[in-house]
Amino acid sequence: MLTAFASFALFALLVTVVPGPDTLLVLRNCVRGGRLPGIATALGAAVGSLVWAVAAAVGLAAALHRWDAAFAVVRMAGAAYLVLLGAQALWAHRRSASNGADTTAAPPEGLAPTTFLAFRQGLLSCLLNPKVGLFFVAVAPQFLPEGASVLSVTLIFGVIDAVIAAGWLILVAVFAARLLSWLRRPRVNTALERATGGVLVVLGLGTAAETL
């Protein structure tokens, strides 16, 4: 049993460290508001992952995958949310730049998210990504020990994955917070905002294209 948990943990770690929407949101919110919003975003994404694990454990994720219409609706909602976040990032930064805001010491006024808003963004980003649920449906059975309870073991896998996701993303937030003075330099901040917003828009459009 311990071998199965350790193997799943290693696999989950390898998947988690690959940059995705959650990592981009953590970086963006950390640069805008500091360490706490970054950590809040990380915790929101981890909670969302745990919710998907519970859904997979009771078979909801698998049922959603079989029900094409519902699956498409969730994916399109997730795609729209990513495009919205990306567009907001691009527009807000363009507006602040046109107003001559100085980003060397603090984020432009109105861009810094509250802790609650950052948590909600991380949570929704994960909840609106059905691929997270399908990850558990497709991967968890590969690590299930023979004769083990599918429900209980999948739930444990979900906790392991959530802890790993939270730990990694919090490390990203802490590391980014240590580099805030550099990340908030006008050129670096402009490049980061444009890259983050652009990637989120592309990810959202890509998800929508796959759904159509």
Side-chain angles (χ1 to χ4, degrees):
M1 186 72 74
L2 291 179
T3 302
F5 292 149
S7 299
F8 177 83
L10 178 60
F11 184 83
L13 177 62
L14 294 175
V15 172
T16 300
V17 298
V18 177
D22 295 337
T23 305
L24 293 176
L25 285 178
V26 169
L27 283 173
R28 190 194 67 171
N29 286 341
C30 188
V31 171
R32 288 181 170 185
R35 182 182 301 175
L36 284 181
I39 292 177
T41 308
L43 293 177
V47 171
S49 177
L50 185 58
V51 171
W52 272 117
V54 174
V58 298
L60 293 180
L64 182 65
H65 190 211
R66 289 194 297 268
W67 189 13
D68 293 339
F71 184 76
V73 168
V74 174
R75 291 197 65 181
M76 287 300 293
Y81 186 66
L82 289 177
V83 172
L84 175 63
L85 288 177
Q88 285 179 337
L90 294 173
W91 173 253
H93 186 75
R94 179 181 179 181
R95 183 177 58 186
S96 63
S98 65
N99 291 335
D102 180 9
T103 59
T104 58
E109 184 179 355
L111 290 184
T114 63
T115 302
F116 174 76
L117 178 59
F119 178 88
R120 188 179 67 182
Q121 287 179 346
L123 177 64
L124 289 178
S125 174
C126 189
L127 288 180
L128 292 175
N129 184 6
K131 289 183 178 180
V132 179
L134 296 182
F135 165 80
F136 287 104
V137 174
V139 173
Q142 312 303 321
F143 295 92
L144 285 174
E146 186 176 353
S149 169
V150 175
L151 177 61
S152 60
V153 173
T154 303
L155 288 175
I156 295 174
F157 283 165
V159 172
I160 292 173
D161 182 72
V163 170
I164 290 174
W168 171 255
L169 292 175
I170 287 175
L171 283 177
V172 171
V174 171
F175 182 74
R178 291 181 177 274
L179 298 176
L180 280 182
S181 60
W182 178 76
L183 292 173
R184 285 177 177 170
R185 291 179 179 177
R187 289 185 180 180
V188 177
N189 188 43
T190 298
L192 182 62
E193 284 285 348
R194 288 176 177 174
T196 301
V199 170
L200 288 174
V201 170
V202 170
L203 287 173
L205 293 177
T207 300
E210 290 178 2
T211 307
L212 298 176

